Amino acid sequence: MGYATVQKVPRVQDYAQALRIHDNTKPLRGRADEIKPLGSRRDADTYHIRKNGDAVELVLYKTPVITFMPDGEVALFVDSYNTVATHQFIHQVLGISAGGVRRTTVLTINNSKYTLAAKDKLHLRKEDGAWQVLNPTQQWTWRLDRKVVTNVRAQYGEFYKYLKGFVNLRTESITENTWNPRTYDGFRVGLDEFKGVFGSMTSVRSYAYMDKRGKQHINYSNVKPEQYAASSNAFVCLIRPDQPEEDKHTNFYKAALLLTAKLDSDNMDIRTDSIKVVSKHIVPLLDDILFMMNVHQVLVRKALPQGKVSSGIYEHWMKDWE
């Protein structure tokens, strides 16, 4: 399936034309279920036309993407298939520009943008020769509440200060002469340093889930809520401001090393003599871990302007575990 085949699908203006195409198209022979091709008969398994009551459905594979109804309305439904094929199909049939933005279909109608996500249906009607949207859908996003963010950072301010000092003392200019050479401000930590502090890398790896709240995975395995809770709680215990002073320096040092290991490898499985990480990335990682633990206070739901799609930066934090 591709652009060449979708070009054979007809442009359809209204219900009367859709019904006429349906009634005048002969079904394929030898099929248990009646299939009436839309476009080339050889592409009938990709594009076909069918009746659903009085409505006429134009189907891409098994999804009724475009439905013409007797009252003149047209319904668009992508069934979560935000694909090039879906967008080409909509454009070819209706003449509406369609594209994908972060798993959401975005349609351009009368120089305005409208979103069609997941299981939503967008209803249209043609008036004076132009498509009009009857039910524009509202898209939402999650944004940081800056006041709460400031409070969270202040709560762990002592460790933030320690971490910045840890990074500043170790930072150097690092050049990597690979196929894509680069120079950056970073620092190195040897495997012996990790083992000297934690005893074994198994202890380090036990913290691998500390930044995996919500629907996330490590090495293609879904993270369980109990794994996230155990890792994140253990990490936060290391950076608590109210711990005994005689333990604080050692625990802060451990936490800084753990963040370094996490930057190097998502599963924190270090198998080289030393690792190198980018200095400026370590504090944002700490932010993420702490914000996840306070997610319902830190994140607020915001409505997006029409046609805009969420960046998705925080969406996975809020998704339930499966």
Side-chain angles (χ1 to χ4, degrees), residues 214-282:
K215 192 177 180 181
Q216 299 196 61
H217 59 81
I218 289 182
N219 291 345
Y220 305 103
S221 296
N222 290 337
V223 176
K224 299 176 181 178
E226 57 270 22
Q227 291 174 316
Y228 166 72
S231 282
S232 57
N233 288 332
F235 176 79
V236 168
C237 282
L238 295 175
I239 65 173
R240 287 176 54 179
D242 59 349
Q243 60 183 298
E245 289 298 323
E246 60 269 22
D247 299 330
K248 189 174 290 184
H249 177 78
T250 299
N251 286 339
F252 280 10
Y253 177 39
K254 285 182 177 180
L257 289 178
L258 290 171
L259 291 170
T260 306
K262 187 65 181 178
L263 280 181
D264 175 72
S265 172
D266 200 28
N267 62 7
M268 301 174 74
D269 187 11
I270 299 170
R271 301 191 178 189
T272 56
D273 290 338
S274 67
I275 60 174
K276 296 171 289 193
V277 298
V278 179
S279 297
K280 66 181 181 181
H281 293 165
I282 197 163

Side-chain angles (χ1 to χ4, degrees), residues 39-40 43 59 82 85-86 88 100 127-128 131 142 147 155 157 161 216 232-233 240 254 258 263 265 288 298:
S40 174
D43 299 323
V59 181
N82 175 43
T86 302
Q88 288 180 346
E127 297 178 0
D128 298 325
W131 292 112
W142 293 101
K147 183 176 181 180
Q155 183 180 352
K161 182 178 179 180
Q216 299 196 61
S232 57
N233 288 332
R240 287 176 54 179
K254 285 182 177 180
L258 290 171
L263 280 181
S265 172
D288 282 353
V298 168

Side-chain angles (χ1 to χ4, degrees), residues 60-295:
L60 175 62
Y61 294 109
K62 296 181 180 181
T63 303
V65 175
I66 305 169
T67 301
F68 288 88
M69 291 170 279
D71 63 1
E73 282 193 18
V74 176
L76 300 184
F77 175 62
V78 298
D79 197 22
S80 300
Y81 292 106
N82 175 43
T83 64
V84 172
T86 302
H87 303 150
Q88 288 180 346
F89 187 63
I90 292 171
H91 182 261
Q92 180 65 21
V93 174
L94 299 178
I96 293 173
S97 175
V101 179
R102 292 183 287 273
R103 301 178 301 281
T104 300
T105 292
V106 179
L107 308 167
T108 302
I109 303 173
N110 297 329
N111 296 319
S112 296
K113 295 186 181 296
Y114 299 89
T115 55
L116 182 57
K119 303 293 183 178
D120 293 341
K121 284 189 177 182
L122 194 68
H123 291 264
L124 312 176
R125 184 185 296 276
K126 186 167 281 189
E127 297 178 0
D128 298 325
W131 292 112
Q132 304 296 326
V133 177
L134 304 180
N135 65 325
T137 56
Q138 178 67 63
Q139 292 293 311
W140 298 82
T141 191
W142 293 101
R143 297 275 172 80
L144 293 173
D145 184 320
R146 295 298 173 184
K147 183 176 181 180
V148 178
V149 163
T150 299
N151 291 338
V152 170
R153 286 174 174 158
Q155 183 180 352
Y156 297 96
E158 193 172 354
F159 179 68
Y160 271 99
K161 182 178 179 180
Y162 173 90
L163 182 63
K164 291 173 183 177
F166 173 91
V167 172
N168 289 338
L169 284 172
R170 291 170 174 250
T171 294
E172 59 182 299
S173 180
I174 297 175
T175 299
E176 293 183 347
N177 294 313
T178 61
W179 66 273
N180 184 24
R182 63 171 184 152
T183 299
Y184 58 91
D185 289 336
F187 62 93
R188 311 167 194 263
V189 178
L191 183 61
D192 289 342
E193 186 172 358
F194 283 105
K195 289 183 176 180
V197 174
F198 293 97
S200 71
M201 294 311 294
T202 300
S203 298
V204 173
R205 290 193 295 271
S206 68
Y207 291 86
Y209 306 104
M210 63 185 177
D211 66 335
K212 298 298 179 184
R213 189 192 191 284
K215 192 177 180 181
Q216 299 196 61
H217 59 81
I218 289 182
N219 291 345
Y220 305 103
S221 296
N222 290 337
V223 176
K224 299 176 181 178
E226 57 270 22
Q227 291 174 316
Y228 166 72
S231 282
S232 57
N233 288 332
F235 176 79
V236 168
C237 282
L238 295 175
I239 65 173
R240 287 176 54 179
D242 59 349
Q243 60 183 298
E245 289 298 323
E246 60 269 22
D247 299 330
K248 189 174 290 184
H249 177 78
T250 299
N251 286 339
F252 280 10
Y253 177 39
K254 285 182 177 180
L257 289 178
L258 290 171
L259 291 170
T260 306
K262 187 65 181 178
L263 280 181
D264 175 72
S265 172
D266 200 28
N267 62 7
M268 301 174 74
D269 187 11
I270 299 170
R271 301 191 178 189
T272 56
D273 290 338
S274 67
I275 60 174
K276 296 171 289 193
V277 298
V278 179
S279 297
K280 66 181 181 181
H281 293 165
I282 197 163
V283 172
L285 174 58
L286 174 61
D287 281 341
D288 282 353
I289 293 169
L290 294 179
F291 297 167
M292 285 182 198
M293 293 200 71
N294 298 273
V295 68

